[in-house]
Amino acid sequence: MNCASFVFNATGKQTSQLKGSAFESMAELSDSTFLANKNGLFTLTGTLDNGAVIPSKIRLAKTDFGIQNEKRLYALYIWMQISKPLTIEVQSDEVTHKVDVPSEDVSRVVRYRVRLPRTLKGRYFTISFSSPSGVFVLDSIDAEVTVLHSGHA
């Protein structure tokens, strides 16, 4: 069975999509994650899927940072906890920039400043985080944005 499942976070009013899932539904209760399909109810535990590490990836919704004008994104300030290498991808209307963040064996949230190239400008931006071999925790993200005047090259 190869299903696409949607998960809704009622507290944060956010949705996630699970692609290629063998499950039809998912629920979290008291720090446990439960999955269900026609064969029964399962508990999700650990970091392996049939012996393979489960890659982690999140793509945030496209944003204009509440400003309709074209803008330049200079830096991101990200509070997160990572234990394995992580890739951050920032995409504007025309340019994509990737930054590799080395792993840190920390048990707390740390602030990272991600500098971005001057060519990263546009009206809308999408930010993605991925780790092929580990779990990461995002706490918050702030952006350093400058609004460009009309006709700015």
Side-chain angles (χ1 to χ4, degrees), residues 19-31:
K19 294 182 180 179
S21 172
F23 300 97
E24 298 165 347
S25 61
M26 180 175 124
E28 287 191 14
L29 178 64
S30 301
D31 294 330

Side-chain angles (χ1 to χ4, degrees), residues 29-60:
L29 178 64
S30 301
D31 294 330
S32 295
T33 302
F34 300 95
L35 302 156
N37 63 19
K38 67 180 182 178
N39 298 319
L41 182 65
F42 303 87
T43 303
L44 184 62
T45 61
T47 58
L48 300 179
D49 180 14
N50 204 17
V53 175
I54 301 170
S56 302
K57 182 173 184 178
I58 183 171
R59 184 180 72 219
L60 304 178

Side-chain angles (χ1 to χ4, degrees), residues 125-139:
F125 295 87
T126 305
I127 304 168
S128 302
F129 299 85
S130 61
S131 177
S133 60
V135 176
F136 56 90
V137 176
L138 292 176
D139 183 67

Side-chain angles (χ1 to χ4, degrees), residues 7 25 27 35 40 72 74 77-78 81 133 152:
V7 181
S25 61
L35 302 156
R72 183 172 286 136
Y74 286 102
Y77 298 90
I78 304 167
Q81 179 181 342
S133 60
H152 190 300

